[in-house]
Amino acid sequence: MTAPRRHTLPLDVHLLLRRDGGRGPEVLLSRRAGPVYATGMWHLPSGHLEADEDFVAAVVREAREETGVVIDPADVRAAVTVHHRPPMGSSSRIGVFFEVRSWSGPPRIMEPDRCDGMGWYGLDALPAPMVAYCRAGLDAYRAGLPAAVHFQRPGDPVEHRDGEPGNGRTEFLAGQANGEQEGACPA
């Protein structure tokens, strides 16, 4: 008898660099550019977890590489986890979103070959087009929920569209609400 094949997934870290704006909480978003997935779409600064790297080290590294900000690991807070399957290919992945409210240095574009825009956006006024996977994580974060499953189907758009791609593509998972945790975003 052969053992069942174990499911292995790529792991992504996403940076919710958050500040309080004049109209409420804002997050830093960057517009993807060049020969990358979802070019021309807005996304949180993010990247892949490297071998022998922990989540916190990865988000601190990605923040410096993509935005130039320096983050103390003690300021990193887990916010949302998303299990995602893109509309192209068959592999799913896990994205872990981390909230950071304190950092050093002004955010700026550090990888112009991969990013052609960067700005602060209110959680209630997110730009379009935005990567659907990222938006699912932000929607769970805004709702104060700890996790979501975002499984797209072949042919679904990569970008988020209000009301699309249809029911059943994103499920928010109940759990301890983020608003009940120290420093989390209230709904």
Side-chain angles (χ1 to χ4, degrees):
M1 176 173 191
T2 60
R5 186 173 65 94
R6 290 186 183 238
H7 192 66
T8 59
L9 302 173
L11 296 170
D12 301 326
V13 295
H14 300 263
L15 174 64
L16 284 158
L17 200 62
R18 180 180 162 177
R19 71 179 189 185
D20 293 323
R23 297 182 183 186
E26 297 176 333
V27 293
L28 184 73
L29 296 173
S30 59
R31 190 174 50 226
R32 300 175 62 81
V36 296
Y37 177 76
T39 192
M41 295 183 199
W42 292 94
H43 198 283
L44 291 165
S46 63
H48 301 281
L49 186 69
E50 294 180 357
D52 299 323
E53 184 177 45
D54 68 59
F55 285 138
V56 174
V59 79
V60 167
R61 174 185 51 78
E62 288 291 347
R64 185 178 299 203
E65 288 175 4
E66 293 189 18
T67 70
V69 301
V70 176
I71 296 171
D72 182 331
D75 292 324
V76 176
R77 301 281 182 264
V80 174
T81 300
V82 178
H83 186 191
H84 167 68
R85 182 181 63 211
M88 296 176 268
S90 60
S91 297
S92 63
R93 58 194 325 109
I94 298 289
V96 184
F97 293 64
F98 293 94
E99 178 190 75
V100 174
R101 294 189 187 202
S102 179
W103 61 89
S104 298
R108 60 196 184 283
I109 296 171
M110 298 294 293
E111 299 175 322
D113 58 321
R114 296 180 185 175
C115 172
D116 67 0
M118 186 175 282
W120 292 98
Y121 292 90
L123 287 171
D124 292 326
L126 297 170
M130 178 175 276
V131 177
Y133 166 32
C134 177
R135 180 61 185 263
L138 284 168
D139 287 348
Y141 175 74
R142 285 183 359 189
L145 297 171
V149 175
H150 182 259
F151 270 33
Q152 293 176 285
R153 298 180 185 146
D156 281 350
V158 171
E159 73 271 13
H160 168 80
R161 295 180 185 165
D162 287 338
E164 290 186 61
N167 293 333
R169 305 302 202 288
T170 301
E171 288 184 48
F172 297 116
L173 304 177
Q176 181 180 9
N178 287 335
E180 296 172 14
Q181 298 171 4
E182 177 186 346
C185 177

